[in-house]
Amino acid sequence: MTKHETFLMGVRAGIPIGLGYLSISFTFGIMAVSYGLYWWQAVLISMLCVTSAGQLAGITVMLSPAHYIEMLISQITINIRYSFMSISLSQKVDSSIRGIFRWLLSFMITDEIFAVAITQKEVSRSFFLGLMTIPYLGWTLGTLSGSLLGSVLPDSLMSAMNIAIYGMFVAIIVPEMKKSRPIVFVVALSSIMSILFTYVPIFKKIPAGLSVSICAIGSALFATLFFPMDDTGEAENL
């Protein structure tokens, strides 16, 4: 198979991901503008980050406003999983992915792109470049469309559409909650902690960046202690 054919195969594999990213980033663009960012700032964030949860947490921390160290902690907490995905995928790349192309590969590793790439027997440079093209364009153009429309839409409609990105996270979590009781407890605990940091006066003083990290790490530690995984990948204490 030629490099051109491999590239086109990657492009075809990335089309569904790109279409999904288009709708998600559209909502992010609307939210970013409603938070006070300019449209070009929202687009620049999407072009340089490509992480829905990380971007949402990032602009939330910016509004606090928070210190850079808090931003760093929250982003590491949310996005550390991409490091492990990169390590796993690096075992499948061929010799064409080296030098700066390894940086490019790691930059565009998302949950969905990783899920597609890891199924390949071997990941070539042309395939991965094709795989990342449509998702990157979808993510960027979706943010651009949302941020431009967000500048002209009524405030009432803007407020309603801001809920959409949270609906995306709910759609991701609920199916997993139905499959696993430990996940139910983890989601419940993280939700309770988030509510405390939002409404309880003594906890409201904690910066947004740190509160996100505390919720994530605290609920993860809870799952590790009370629902450890056995060798089959199933929680032991069901």
PDB file of all heavy atoms in Angstrom, residues 52-69:
ATOM      1  N   SER A  52     -11.220  18.645  25.120  1.00  0.00           N
ATOM      2  CA  SER A  52     -12.474  19.267  25.544  1.00  0.00           C
ATOM      3  C   SER A  52     -12.515  19.556  27.035  1.00  0.00           C
ATOM      4  O   SER A  52     -12.766  20.688  27.462  1.00  0.00           O
ATOM      5  CB  SER A  52     -13.653  18.375  25.155  1.00  0.00           C
ATOM      6  OG  SER A  52     -13.496  17.063  25.689  1.00  0.00           O
ATOM      7  N   ALA A  53     -12.253  18.547  27.860  1.00  0.00           N
ATOM      8  CA  ALA A  53     -12.301  18.737  29.311  1.00  0.00           C
ATOM      9  C   ALA A  53     -11.212  19.706  29.767  1.00  0.00           C
ATOM     10  O   ALA A  53     -11.438  20.550  30.636  1.00  0.00           O
ATOM     11  CB  ALA A  53     -12.143  17.395  30.021  1.00  0.00           C
ATOM     12  N   GLY A  54     -10.026  19.590  29.164  1.00  0.00           N
ATOM     13  CA  GLY A  54      -8.930  20.476  29.532  1.00  0.00           C
ATOM     14  C   GLY A  54      -9.217  21.923  29.178  1.00  0.00           C
ATOM     15  O   GLY A  54      -8.918  22.841  29.945  1.00  0.00           O
ATOM     16  N   GLN A  55      -9.815  22.153  28.009  1.00  0.00           N
ATOM     17  CA  GLN A  55     -10.139  23.512  27.593  1.00  0.00           C
ATOM     18  C   GLN A  55     -11.237  24.100  28.467  1.00  0.00           C
ATOM     19  O   GLN A  55     -11.182  25.277  28.832  1.00  0.00           O
ATOM     20  CB  GLN A  55     -10.570  23.517  26.126  1.00  0.00           C
ATOM     21  CG  GLN A  55      -9.424  23.228  25.171  1.00  0.00           C
ATOM     22  CD  GLN A  55      -9.853  23.195  23.719  1.00  0.00           C
ATOM     23  OE1 GLN A  55      -9.309  22.456  22.925  1.00  0.00           O
ATOM     24  NE2 GLN A  55     -10.851  23.978  23.344  1.00  0.00           N
ATOM     25  N   LEU A  56     -12.239  23.303  28.793  1.00  0.00           N
ATOM     26  CA  LEU A  56     -13.324  23.786  29.638  1.00  0.00           C
ATOM     27  C   LEU A  56     -12.791  24.166  31.016  1.00  0.00           C
ATOM     28  O   LEU A  56     -13.119  25.222  31.551  1.00  0.00           O
ATOM     29  CB  LEU A  56     -14.408  22.714  29.771  1.00  0.00           C
ATOM     30  CG  LEU A  56     -15.572  23.051  30.704  1.00  0.00           C
ATOM     31  CD1 LEU A  56     -16.304  24.299  30.219  1.00  0.00           C
ATOM     32  CD2 LEU A  56     -16.538  21.873  30.791  1.00  0.00           C
ATOM     33  N   ALA A  57     -11.954  23.295  31.584  1.00  0.00           N
ATOM     34  CA  ALA A  57     -11.357  23.590  32.884  1.00  0.00           C
ATOM     35  C   ALA A  57     -10.436  24.794  32.794  1.00  0.00           C
ATOM     36  O   ALA A  57     -10.367  25.620  33.704  1.00  0.00           O
ATOM     37  CB  ALA A  57     -10.585  22.379  33.396  1.00  0.00           C
ATOM     38  N   GLY A  58      -9.734  24.906  31.662  1.00  0.00           N
ATOM     39  CA  GLY A  58      -8.795  26.003  31.485  1.00  0.00           C
ATOM     40  C   GLY A  58      -9.460  27.369  31.501  1.00  0.00           C
ATOM     41  O   GLY A  58      -9.028  28.270  32.213  1.00  0.00           O
ATOM     42  N   ILE A  59     -10.539  27.521  30.728  1.00  0.00           N
ATOM     43  CA  ILE A  59     -11.199  28.824  30.694  1.00  0.00           C
ATOM     44  C   ILE A  59     -11.915  29.106  32.011  1.00  0.00           C
ATOM     45  O   ILE A  59     -12.059  30.260  32.412  1.00  0.00           O
ATOM     46  CB  ILE A  59     -12.178  28.943  29.506  1.00  0.00           C
ATOM     47  CG1 ILE A  59     -13.297  27.895  29.588  1.00  0.00           C
ATOM     48  CG2 ILE A  59     -11.441  28.828  28.192  1.00  0.00           C
ATOM     49  CD1 ILE A  59     -14.355  28.057  28.496  1.00  0.00           C
ATOM     50  N   THR A  60     -12.335  28.042  32.713  1.00  0.00           N
ATOM     51  CA  THR A  60     -12.941  28.234  34.036  1.00  0.00           C
ATOM     52  C   THR A  60     -11.913  28.784  35.007  1.00  0.00           C
ATOM     53  O   THR A  60     -12.199  29.697  35.793  1.00  0.00           O
ATOM     54  CB  THR A  60     -13.500  26.905  34.567  1.00  0.00           C
ATOM     55  OG1 THR A  60     -14.462  26.381  33.642  1.00  0.00           O
ATOM     56  CG2 THR A  60     -14.180  27.103  35.922  1.00  0.00           C
ATOM     57  N   VAL A  61     -10.716  28.240  34.964  1.00  0.00           N
ATOM     58  CA  VAL A  61      -9.641  28.712  35.835  1.00  0.00           C
ATOM     59  C   VAL A  61      -9.238  30.140  35.468  1.00  0.00           C
ATOM     60  O   VAL A  61      -8.963  30.971  36.338  1.00  0.00           O
ATOM     61  CB  VAL A  61      -8.418  27.776  35.746  1.00  0.00           C
ATOM     62  CG1 VAL A  61      -7.242  28.361  36.507  1.00  0.00           C
ATOM     63  CG2 VAL A  61      -8.755  26.404  36.304  1.00  0.00           C
ATOM     64  N   MET A  62      -9.230  30.459  34.176  1.00  0.00           N
ATOM     65  CA  MET A  62      -8.874  31.815  33.738  1.00  0.00           C
ATOM     66  C   MET A  62      -9.820  32.862  34.326  1.00  0.00           C
ATOM     67  O   MET A  62      -9.429  33.982  34.642  1.00  0.00           O
ATOM     68  CB  MET A  62      -8.935  31.906  32.213  1.00  0.00           C
ATOM     69  CG  MET A  62      -7.852  31.156  31.481  1.00  0.00           C
ATOM     70  SD  MET A  62      -8.103  31.267  29.687  1.00  0.00           S
ATOM     71  CE  MET A  62      -6.945  30.025  29.113  1.00  0.00           C
ATOM     72  N   LEU A  63     -11.090  32.485  34.460  1.00  0.00           N
ATOM     73  CA  LEU A  63     -12.086  33.439  34.937  1.00  0.00           C
ATOM     74  C   LEU A  63     -11.993  33.691  36.431  1.00  0.00           C
ATOM     75  O   LEU A  63     -12.550  34.656  36.925  1.00  0.00           O
ATOM     76  CB  LEU A  63     -13.500  32.922  34.606  1.00  0.00           C
ATOM     77  CG  LEU A  63     -13.869  32.898  33.125  1.00  0.00           C
ATOM     78  CD1 LEU A  63     -15.210  32.244  32.938  1.00  0.00           C
ATOM     79  CD2 LEU A  63     -13.895  34.310  32.574  1.00  0.00           C
ATOM     80  N   SER A  64     -11.281  32.826  37.160  1.00  0.00           N
ATOM     81  CA  SER A  64     -11.283  32.916  38.621  1.00  0.00           C
ATOM     82  C   SER A  64     -10.840  34.267  39.168  1.00  0.00           C
ATOM     83  O   SER A  64     -11.532  34.804  40.025  1.00  0.00           O
ATOM     84  CB  SER A  64     -10.464  31.765  39.218  1.00  0.00           C
ATOM     85  OG  SER A  64     -11.052  30.545  38.853  1.00  0.00           O
ATOM     86  N   PRO A  65      -9.735  34.899  38.770  1.00  0.00           N
ATOM     87  CA  PRO A  65      -8.635  34.332  37.983  1.00  0.00           C
ATOM     88  C   PRO A  65      -7.701  33.536  38.890  1.00  0.00           C
ATOM     89  O   PRO A  65      -7.672  33.763  40.098  1.00  0.00           O
ATOM     90  CB  PRO A  65      -7.935  35.578  37.439  1.00  0.00           C
ATOM     91  CG  PRO A  65      -8.150  36.599  38.508  1.00  0.00           C
ATOM     92  CD  PRO A  65      -9.495  36.311  39.110  1.00  0.00           C
ATOM     93  N   ALA A  66      -6.963  32.631  38.318  1.00  0.00           N
ATOM     94  CA  ALA A  66      -6.086  31.776  39.107  1.00  0.00           C
ATOM     95  C   ALA A  66      -4.633  32.009  38.709  1.00  0.00           C
ATOM     96  O   ALA A  66      -4.339  32.613  37.680  1.00  0.00           O
ATOM     97  CB  ALA A  66      -6.462  30.315  38.903  1.00  0.00           C
ATOM     98  N   HIS A  67      -3.743  31.473  39.509  1.00  0.00           N
ATOM     99  CA  HIS A  67      -2.328  31.580  39.212  1.00  0.00           C
ATOM    100  C   HIS A  67      -1.938  30.498  38.205  1.00  0.00           C
ATOM    101  O   HIS A  67      -2.635  29.499  38.029  1.00  0.00           O
ATOM    102  CB  HIS A  67      -1.501  31.435  40.487  1.00  0.00           C
ATOM    103  CG  HIS A  67      -1.789  32.507  41.492  1.00  0.00           C
ATOM    104  ND1 HIS A  67      -1.466  33.828  41.283  1.00  0.00           N
ATOM    105  CD2 HIS A  67      -2.383  32.454  42.708  1.00  0.00           C
ATOM    106  CE1 HIS A  67      -1.832  34.534  42.325  1.00  0.00           C
ATOM    107  NE2 HIS A  67      -2.397  33.734  43.200  1.00  0.00           N
ATOM    108  N   TYR A  68      -0.811  30.697  37.571  1.00  0.00           N
ATOM    109  CA  TYR A  68      -0.351  29.743  36.568  1.00  0.00           C
ATOM    110  C   TYR A  68      -0.140  28.358  37.163  1.00  0.00           C
ATOM    111  O   TYR A  68      -0.373  27.345  36.507  1.00  0.00           O
ATOM    112  CB  TYR A  68       0.947  30.240  35.926  1.00  0.00           C
ATOM    113  CG  TYR A  68       0.752  31.431  35.027  1.00  0.00           C
ATOM    114  CD1 TYR A  68       1.370  32.641  35.307  1.00  0.00           C
ATOM    115  CD2 TYR A  68      -0.063  31.351  33.900  1.00  0.00           C
ATOM    116  CE1 TYR A  68       1.189  33.742  34.475  1.00  0.00           C
ATOM    117  CE2 TYR A  68      -0.248  32.447  33.074  1.00  0.00           C
ATOM    118  CZ  TYR A  68       0.389  33.643  33.363  1.00  0.00           C
ATOM    119  OH  TYR A  68       0.202  34.724  32.546  1.00  0.00           O
ATOM    120  N   ILE A  69       0.299  28.292  38.409  1.00  0.00           N
ATOM    121  CA  ILE A  69       0.563  26.997  39.025  1.00  0.00           C
ATOM    122  C   ILE A  69      -0.723  26.200  39.189  1.00  0.00           C
ATOM    123  O   ILE A  69      -0.741  24.980  39.037  1.00  0.00           O
ATOM    124  CB  ILE A  69       1.274  27.167  40.396  1.00  0.00           C
ATOM    125  CG1 ILE A  69       1.734  25.829  40.929  1.00  0.00           C
ATOM    126  CG2 ILE A  69       0.371  27.889  41.393  1.00  0.00           C
ATOM    127  CD1 ILE A  69       2.798  25.151  40.108  1.00  0.00           C
TER     128      ILE A  69
END
